[in-house]
Amino acid sequence: MQLNTLSVHHLSELMGKKEVSSEELTRFYLEHISRVEDKIKAFVTLTKEEALARARAVDERRARGEELSPLAGIPTAAGDNICTRGVKTTCASQILYNFIPPYDATVAGRLKGAGAILVGKCNMDEFAMGSSTENSGYFATSNPFDFDAVPGGSGGGAAAAVAAGEAAFALGTDAGGGIRQPAAFCGVIGFKPTYGYASRFGLISHVSSLGQIGVFTRDMTDLALILNEICGHDDKDATSASVDVPDFRKSLVNDVKGLRIGLPGEYFGTDVSPRVAAKVREAIVKLEELGAVCEEVAMPHIEYAPAAHYIISSAEASSNLARFDGIRHGLRVEAEDVLTMFKKTRGQGFGEEVKRRIMLGTFALSAGNYEAYYVKALKVRTLVKQDFDRAFEKFDCLLTPTSPATPFKIGEKAGDPVAMYLSKVYTMPANLAGVPAMSLPFGLVEGLPVGLQLMARHFDEGTLLRVGYTLEQSTDQTRLKPGLLL
Amino acid sequence: MSRYEAVIGLEVHVELKTDTKIFCGCSTEFGKEPNTQVCPVCLGLPGSTGVLNKKVVELATRAGLALNCEIGTYTWFDRKNYYYPDLPKGYQISQVFRPIAYNGYLDIDVDGEKKRINITRAHIEEDPGKLVHSGGSITSSRYSYVDYNRSGMPLIEIVSEPDIRSGAEAKAYLEKLKAHLEYAGVSDVKMEQGSLRCDANVSVRPVGTTTLGTKTEIKNMNSFRAVQRAIEYEVERQIDVLEDGGKVVQETRGWDENKGITVSMRNKENPDYRCFIEHELPPIELTEEWIEEVRASIPELPDARRRRLVEEHGLPDYDAGVITSSLALAEFFDAALKEFPDAKTVSNWIMGELLRLLNARNMELGESRITPGGLASLLQLIKKGTISNKIGKEVFEVMFEEGKDPEQIVKERGLSQISDQGQLAQIIDEVIAKNPKSVADYQSGKKQAIGFLVGQVMKATRGQANPGVVNSMLREKLGE
Ligand SMILES: [Zn+2]
C-alpha cells in the first residue's frame, strides 16, 4: 500500500481500523523522506525522534480507546516561519539559524493537540520573501514534477513536501500567494483563510496586515478537517476574528447548480500563458456543465495591486524585521560597539532579497516619501477591496488562474526580482482584500501542474470548499501525482 | 529685566498604575530582579503578538479627563521605528497620529499669579527596557546589560504647549500635573521610581518676537526642583551663547545634578521614526457613554477641593493650595479636621511642622509615622493647656519619628505644662535672685526686661512652665 499518496481521512480510517499504526505510518513517511529528500530538499529541519515518540503516544491513546481527532497520528509539516516549541524555527534565514522558540504558534499547538505528528520544518524563501524558494538562506527546493523547476514560493518546501509524499498535509503562510502559488506549481491544494480566521500568534510575520496561516492538502475533505482545527478565535492575537467556526465538512457538497462564478477579465489578459488560460477555460466549461453560472466581471483596480502590495509588504517588513538585531536571539556578529554589531549582524544574517525589501520599505516610510508611496498604496488597497466588494455583490466566488504560467526553471528568474515578484500577480489581490482564497490543481501542461484560483467573500470559506469538492468529484484533473510517486 | 524670554514645553512620561503590562500578562511590580518579569510578547520574540490591556485604556481616559482633555472615540496605535538595545522589537508602539486625549490644560499659580498651561496631547505608549551600564555611565562602560522588566510598562506621554516661561512655572505645572494624576488614581507619580519622568524643551528669544529660537531638550532630571534648576541654568546658558554672538545648537542635554549644569549628550539630527499604523492591534473605539461613565467616576480634583477648603472651612486660598497639592496631604487634613474642627490650626500645623519635617528628611507623607488622629490629639492637649505650643512641636517630632500617642509621649517624658503657682514660686525667686540687673532694669521702667526673666524661668523648667502664669507671677513679685 502506498501510504503516502493517501489523503488524511483515508489514513485516519486505516488507523481507526487498526490496519496501520501511527508509528508504522510515521516510519513509512520518514523512510520515504530519506529516499527522496536529496532530490527535493523540502525540509530545513527534520524531527524524526520527536515524531516517532509522538506517534507512539497516539497509538497508546488509541489502544486505550480514547476518542481521537481525524488528524491524530497523521504526519505533517510546517513552514519554517511557524513557531514550534523546542524545535528550531529559522524562517530559512541565517539570522535565526539557531532560534528555538519557547512556544508553539497557536495553530501549530492546535494541530499538536489534535495529535498530528510534525515530521519537520519546511524550506521557504527567507522570511517568506520570494516566489521560488530559491531565496532560502540555506538551499533551493526542487519541484517534485520537475527537479530542475522551482516549487514556487514562499512556501515551496511545504508544497513540495505534500506533493512528494513527505507529509500528508502541511501548514504554510500566505501574504501574497505564498501558499497558493507553490500549491499551483506543485499540484496540491493551497488554502488561505480569511484574514483573522486562523490565529497569527507564533507566525514570524514579515507583513502583519496581509499574512495569514493556511494549509496545503491533497483533497478537499482533508482541507475541511484541517480548517476545523486551525480556524477560530485566539485570545493571544488581537487581530484574530471573533466569529463562529462552522463544521467545514458540511460544506463538502457535490453541487454547484446556480452558483454565480465571476471571471475577472483582468486575470485573463496578455500576461497569462495561453496554455494555462486554456486549462482554466476547461475548468470553467466543466463548472458550467455542472450548473454554475460563469460570467465576466470587471475589477479595474486589480492592475495596481502588485505595486501597492510591494510597497505595503516592504514597509511592514522593514519594521517587522527590525527586531533581528543580535541582542536577544539568533545570530550575533560581535563588534566593537553596539551600532556596528547591529550592522554586521544584519549585514551577514539577511539575504539579498530581504535586504532589498527592507531598504524599499524604509524608503517608502521615510519622511518625504511616506505620502507619495505608503499612503498612496493604502489608498490603492482600499480601491482593490472595493473591486472585490462590488464583484461579490453579484457573484458567490471568483475564478482565475493561480499563476500566469507553469513553474519556471531554477535560476531562470533569479536575476530579475520584478519578474519573480510578478509570478504572484494573481494571488496578491486577495491578500490586500483579506478574502479567503484557494488554489486547486487542474491538470498538467507539458508535465507541469496548473492551478485554479477561487476567491470568496470574507468568512465564506464554505463556498470555496463546495466548488472544490464538486470539481474533485467530477473530474480526475484535480488529483495530480509527480513521477516519483507513480 | 532681561531682553530675552524663555519658551519651554514639557514632555512628561507617566507610568499607569496597572497590575500587568500593556500587551501581555507580565507583572508591573517595581524593583524586581532584572528580566524576571518578561515573556515572549514583551521581549518581542519572533512571532509573539500582544493584546491590549483594557485597564490601560481606562486609566489613560481618566488621565485625559483629569487634564481637561477631549477624548478621541476612534484612535489607534502606530509604530515608531528606531534602533536601541533596550527596544526589543526595533519599534515602539505609541499613538503618533491619533492620541487618545488632546486639547487639555492645567491652571497654575506662581507668586500669586494664575496662568493656564495648555496641553497638546496625552497619548498611550509602551515603555522600552532599561540599560544597566557595567561601569556607571554609558561612556565609561565596556559593556551594558539590558533589563526588560520595564519593557511593555504602560505609559502616557503628556505633551504641553510651549506656554511655560520659567523654571518656576515648569515646577508649578509639574506639581499640578502630579496632583491631578494622583487624584484621578491613574499613577503613583513617583519621580524617584521612574513612574514620572520629565524632559524639557527649552529655547529663548528676544522679548517681543514670536518666532521660536533653536531649542535644546534636557533629560535626566530626577526631581521637580532639578527641573526648575536645570531650566534656569539652560535659559541663562542660551542667553549667554546668543549675547556672545553665537548660535544655540539643537541637541539633547543632560542635567548634572552635582555640578548644577546641563551637558551636551548627543546631537539630534531630527530622527525619522518612519511612523505608520500598527496593524497587529485593532483600533480603540470608545463610546461617548463610556467616556461619561469614566468622567463620573473621577473623584474631586485639586482645584475643586481647594475651592471647597476655602468656601466651607474658611481657609486662606494659599493654605488651601498647599494642602491640596497632594492627595495624601489633603486627605490627612480632612481626617485631622474631623477630630479637631479648627481648620486654620490644623492647616498651620500641616504647613508648618509636617511639611518642614518631610522636606528636611526628604520623605513622603506615607513614610512618616504621624497620623491625622495623632495630630488631632496633640492639638487637643495644647488647647487644654496640658502642654505649650512650643512643647507641642517637640512632641510632634517624636510622633513623626516613632508614631506614638501624644499623651503617652507627654507622660513618659514629663512634658506637661507647669501652671501650679506653688511649683513655680521657688524657681521664680531663684531667677529674680540671680538676675539683679534685669530686675533693676524692669523696676526702672524698662518693661521689656521681663521677657528675659520669663525666658530664664522657661529655661529652668525646660520649657514646661506656663508662660502666661510665669508672666503674671513675675509682675506681681517685682511689685507691679
Ligand atoms: Zn510580558
Side-chain angles (χ1 to χ4, degrees):
Chain A
M1 202 178 341
Q2 208 171 357
L3 290 169
N4 57 356
T5 60
L6 298 179
S7 56
V8 170
H9 56 103
H10 283 139
L11 294 169
S12 186
E13 254 169 54
L14 292 177
M15 282 189 281
K17 287 191 273 184
K18 307 254 166 39
E19 288 181 26
V20 65
S21 71
S22 176
E23 186 179 353
E24 284 162 347
L25 183 63
T26 304
R27 275 191 199 286
F28 186 95
Y29 267 82
L30 292 174
E31 280 161 19
H32 178 71
I33 288 169
S34 59
R35 266 198 306 279
V36 301
E37 238 325 72
D38 61 331
K39 297 189 194 78
I40 305 292
K41 295 199 168 70
F43 290 94
V44 290
T45 302
L46 284 167
T47 51
K48 292 183 186 173
E49 297 310 314
E50 298 96 310
L52 288 170
R54 285 193 180 280
R56 282 190 286 270
V58 168
D59 286 335
E60 278 166 30
R61 287 170 63 194
R62 201 183 300 276
R64 283 198 299 268
E66 280 182 40
E67 200 178 316
L68 298 176
S69 152
L71 304 187
I74 304 289
T76 183
D80 206 31
N81 55 347
I82 296 171
C83 286
T84 41
R85 184 186 181 125
V87 175
K88 266 201 299 185
T89 302
T90 75
C91 291
S93 179
Q94 291 292 345
I95 212 161
L96 279 178
Y97 76 103
N98 62 356
F99 179 60
I100 299 176
Y103 44 89
D104 274 319
T106 297
V107 163
R110 285 188 185 178
L111 290 184
K112 202 187 256 183
I117 311 295
L118 183 79
V119 295
K121 303 297 289 289
C122 293
N123 198 21
M124 54 190 286
D125 286 304
E126 184 181 356
F127 282 105
M129 295 179 196
S131 307
S132 68
T133 314
E134 291 164 287
N135 292 328
S136 164
Y138 304 118
F139 44 79
T141 297
S142 283
N143 190 312
F145 285 83
D146 174 357
F147 301 146
D148 293 330
V150 302
S154 59
V162 175
E166 297 177 279
F169 72 97
L171 290 177
T173 63
D174 191 314
I179 291 174
R180 287 162 289 154
Q181 187 253 28
F185 280 13
C186 293
V188 296
I189 296 167
F191 195 96
K192 178 198 92 72
T194 305
Y195 182 81
Y197 215 177
S199 169
R200 296 176 56 263
F201 181 85
L203 160 61
I204 304 182
S205 175
H206 77 285
V207 278
S208 323
S209 77
L210 301 166
Q212 178 63 61
I213 291 182
V215 64
F216 297 95
T217 66
R218 293 186 186 139
D219 71 15
M220 297 306 297
T221 309
D222 287 4
L223 179 57
L225 294 175
I226 295 152
L227 289 180
N228 278 351
E229 291 294 345
I230 67 171
C231 289
H233 180 74
D234 179 14
D235 285 339
K236 287 198 270 187
D237 173 9
T239 62
S240 167
S242 296
V243 283
D244 287 337
V245 179
D247 181 348
F248 289 108
R249 284 176 298 187
K250 295 202 174 108
S251 299
L252 298 170
V253 177
N254 181 7
D255 177 21
V256 291
K257 270 191 230 40
L259 200 76
R260 293 161 304 169
I261 300 177
L263 311 170
E266 292 75 9
Y267 284 84
F268 293 87
T270 48
D271 36 342
V272 65
S273 118
R275 303 192 63 177
V276 167
K279 218 59 203 149
V280 176
R281 302 245 172 245
E282 226 181 278
I284 294 166
V285 169
K286 186 81 208 167
L287 284 164
E288 283 176 330
E289 273 173 27
L290 295 166
V293 182
C294 299
E295 267 176 45
E296 203 164 300
V297 56
M299 299 185 77
H301 300 99
I302 292 289
E303 67 168 298
Y304 307 109
H309 187 278
Y310 211 17
I311 298 288
I312 293 169
S313 62
S314 299
E316 291 184 21
S318 74
S319 173
N320 280 330
L321 268 52
R323 72 188 66 193
F324 303 104
D325 57 8
I327 298 277
R328 290 160 304 279
H329 42 70
L331 178 71
R332 174 185 291 179
V333 181
E334 296 291 351
E336 55 278 19
D337 60 61
V338 72
L339 182 62
T340 316
M341 189 279 283
F342 284 159
K343 289 178 176 173
K344 287 192 170 168
T345 298
R346 291 171 68 80
Q348 287 184 31
F350 288 137
E352 219 178 294
E353 179 63 19
V354 174
K355 284 179 193 161
R356 181 181 297 123
R357 302 243 191 135
I358 290 174
M359 286 192 285
L360 250 165
T362 304
F363 176 81
L365 287 176
S366 58
N369 298 321
Y370 178 78
E371 292 284 333
Y373 294 96
Y374 184 70
V375 172
K376 186 155 265 175
L378 292 182
K379 287 179 183 162
V380 170
R381 182 178 189 167
T382 304
L383 293 173
V384 169
K385 276 185 192 163
Q386 288 169 354
D387 274 4
F388 276 95
D389 290 344
R390 264 194 298 275
F392 288 132
E393 279 169 20
K394 198 168 170 206
F395 297 99
D396 299 304
C397 65
L398 303 173
L399 179 96
T400 76
T402 305
S403 178
T406 50
F408 46 91
K409 296 286 184 206
I410 293 175
E412 188 183 326
K413 296 188 181 182
D416 186 349
V418 174
M420 183 77 88
Y421 196 75
L422 290 178
S423 77
K424 289 201 283 197
V425 60
Y426 291 167
T427 47
M428 290 181 283
N431 299 84
L432 289 174
V435 298
M438 171 172 80
S439 179
L440 180 68
F442 199 80
L444 299 168
V445 164
E446 290 171 334
L448 290 170
V450 171
L452 293 181
Q453 177 175 233
L454 284 151
M455 297 173 277
R457 296 182 188 97
H458 291 107
F459 302 107
D460 188 16
E461 349 292 283
T463 295
L464 301 182
L465 285 162
R466 180 177 158 197
V467 176
Y469 188 74
T470 306
L471 275 177
E472 195 175 78
Q473 299 302 308
S474 343
T475 154
D476 55 7
Q477 300 222 44
T478 64
R479 287 173 183 273
L480 307 179
K481 259 186 231 169
L484 85 170
L485 288 176
L486 293 175
Chain B
M1 274 303 279
S2 170
R3 291 168 47 222
Y4 292 89
E5 76 171 344
V7 179
I8 300 152
L10 296 186
E11 288 170 18
V12 182
H13 284 90
V14 175
E15 214 170 81
L16 296 172
K17 205 160 59 180
T18 56
D19 295 335
T20 56
K21 293 184 182 179
I22 182 165
F23 300 122
C24 66
C26 290
S27 165
T28 53
E29 205 179 317
F30 177 78
K32 287 294 158 95
E33 284 287 297
N35 296 309
T36 54
Q37 298 176 146
V38 293
C39 74
V41 173
C42 57
L43 285 175
L45 291 194
S48 57
T49 53
V51 175
L52 176 62
N53 180 348
K54 287 200 174 73
K55 184 81 182 168
V56 169
V57 179
E58 191 206 313
L59 293 182
T61 304
R62 287 175 82 82
L65 292 170
L67 303 175
N68 304 301
C69 287
E70 293 171 52
I71 303 296
T73 50
Y74 187 84
T75 61
W76 61 78
F77 287 103
D78 305 290
R79 292 183 181 183
K80 261 174 99 170
N81 296 280
Y82 64 95
Y83 281 97
Y84 208 66
D86 68 4
L87 186 66
K89 297 186 290 290
Y91 55 84
Q92 182 185 21
I93 301 177
S94 181
Q95 292 187 303
V96 179
F97 297 110
R98 282 272 199 118
I100 189 163
Y102 48 92
N103 288 349
Y105 65 86
L106 282 177
D107 291 328
I108 59 168
D109 305 60
V110 177
D111 301 330
E113 287 205 31
K114 291 202 189 282
K115 178 169 180 182
R116 177 159 292 186
I117 307 297
N118 289 292
I119 291 169
T120 318
R121 51 152 62 207
H123 62 258
I124 306 173
E125 64 183 26
E126 60 175 343
D127 216 342
K130 190 171 85 178
L131 285 184
V132 182
H133 303 298
S134 58
S137 85
I138 191 161
T139 42
S140 62
S141 299
R142 265 193 60 239
Y143 53 89
S144 301
Y145 303 98
V146 200
D147 177 5
Y148 292 104
N149 280 356
R150 206 168 77 177
S151 170
M153 296 288 259
L155 301 180
I156 46 169
E157 182 180 345
I158 302 157
V159 183
S160 85
E161 291 285 304
D163 290 345
I164 298 165
R165 292 287 169 269
S166 69
E169 285 185 17
K171 181 164 175 278
Y173 166 78
L174 282 175
E175 281 167 350
K176 203 59 178 277
L177 184 71
K178 175 181 161 142
H180 275 245
L181 297 176
E182 191 187 18
Y183 275 59
V186 300
S187 173
D188 291 334
V189 282
K190 285 183 180 156
M191 217 162 175
E192 66 283 3
Q193 289 190 4
S195 66
L196 186 152
R197 283 168 266 160
C198 173
D199 302 331
N201 290 305
V202 179
S203 66
V204 298
R205 65 184 173 197
V207 171
T209 57
T210 51
T211 46
L212 292 172
T214 306
K215 68 177 180 183
T216 59
E217 185 178 9
I218 317 174
K219 290 183 180 289
N220 296 347
M221 298 168 290
N222 292 322
S223 68
F224 290 177
R225 209 175 101 75
V227 173
Q228 178 170 0
R229 287 176 63 209
I231 288 173
E232 283 166 358
Y233 174 86
E234 181 62 15
V235 168
E236 284 307 312
R237 189 190 70 83
Q238 290 189 14
I239 291 173
D240 287 348
V241 168
L242 295 178
E243 291 279 77
D244 291 349
K247 274 187 177 162
V248 175
V249 182
Q250 184 173 344
E251 62 183 350
T252 302
R253 298 181 69 86
W255 170 244
D256 186 328
E257 178 77 37
N258 294 325
K259 294 187 186 149
I261 59 170
T262 66
V263 286
S264 178
M265 284 167 81
R266 60 190 138 102
N267 280 329
K268 206 169 175 184
E269 306 162 8
N270 280 331
D272 181 356
Y273 291 115
R274 303 186 311 280
C275 299
F276 73 109
I277 189 166
E278 167 57 277
H279 292 284
E280 298 194 338
L281 294 164
I284 305 169
E285 294 181 64
L286 306 176
T287 62
E288 294 288 353
E289 296 79 67
W290 184 82
I291 294 170
E292 286 316 308
E293 260 172 54
V294 173
R295 193 191 301 278
S297 74
I298 295 176
E300 187 182 40
L301 289 171
D303 287 342
R305 195 150 182 163
R306 176 178 183 164
R307 272 196 304 278
R308 183 164 62 79
L309 294 194
V310 172
E311 285 160 17
E312 285 179 23
H313 301 292
L315 270 195
D317 187 55
Y318 176 79
D319 290 36
V322 174
I323 299 279
T324 55
S325 67
S326 106
L327 181 60
L329 220 49
E331 290 191 332
F332 191 98
F333 174 84
D334 275 0
L337 191 66
K338 245 180 222 157
E339 295 179 44
F340 191 83
D342 173 352
K344 182 61 187 155
T345 303
V346 172
S347 146
N348 284 348
W349 278 78
I350 289 178
M351 290 177 31
E353 290 311 292
L354 181 57
L355 287 181
R356 182 179 67 75
L357 288 173
L358 288 174
N359 287 338
R361 290 170 176 62
N362 200 12
M363 280 163 69
E364 296 275 340
L365 180 53
E367 294 168 278
S368 83
R369 303 193 57 188
I370 191 88
T371 61
L375 174 62
S377 316
L378 177 68
L379 297 183
Q380 298 287 3
L381 291 180
I382 296 170
K383 194 180 176 192
K384 279 192 289 185
T386 312
I387 53 172
S388 67
N389 217 48
K390 186 164 178 292
I391 294 288
K393 291 180 182 176
E394 250 174 72
V395 174
F396 185 90
E397 200 157 334
V398 178
M399 292 164 70
F400 185 91
E401 303 285 0
E402 299 171 13
K404 279 187 199 151
D405 176 70
E407 264 173 277
Q408 192 190 348
I409 297 168
V410 168
K411 201 181 287 171
E412 275 175 12
R413 308 201 170 194
L415 295 174
S416 295
Q417 189 158 256
I418 308 166
S419 305
D420 176 45
Q421 301 208 356
Q423 246 179 298
L424 291 172
Q426 194 195 341
I427 299 165
I428 288 173
D429 289 344
E430 279 169 23
V431 166
I432 289 172
K434 274 187 195 163
N435 297 284
K437 187 168 181 301
S438 299
V439 171
D441 284 350
Y442 179 81
Q443 284 166 339
S444 69
K446 290 185 184 163
K447 296 298 177 198
Q448 68 271 32
I450 199 164
F452 176 78
L453 295 170
V454 172
Q456 291 303 302
V457 177
M458 295 308 287
K459 195 174 165 193
T461 58
R462 290 179 300 128
Q464 280 171 265
N466 183 329
V469 176
V470 172
N471 210 297
S472 64
M473 282 175 75
L474 267 172
R475 284 171 201 274
E476 203 174 297
K477 294 207 181 207
L478 296 175
E480 186 90 329

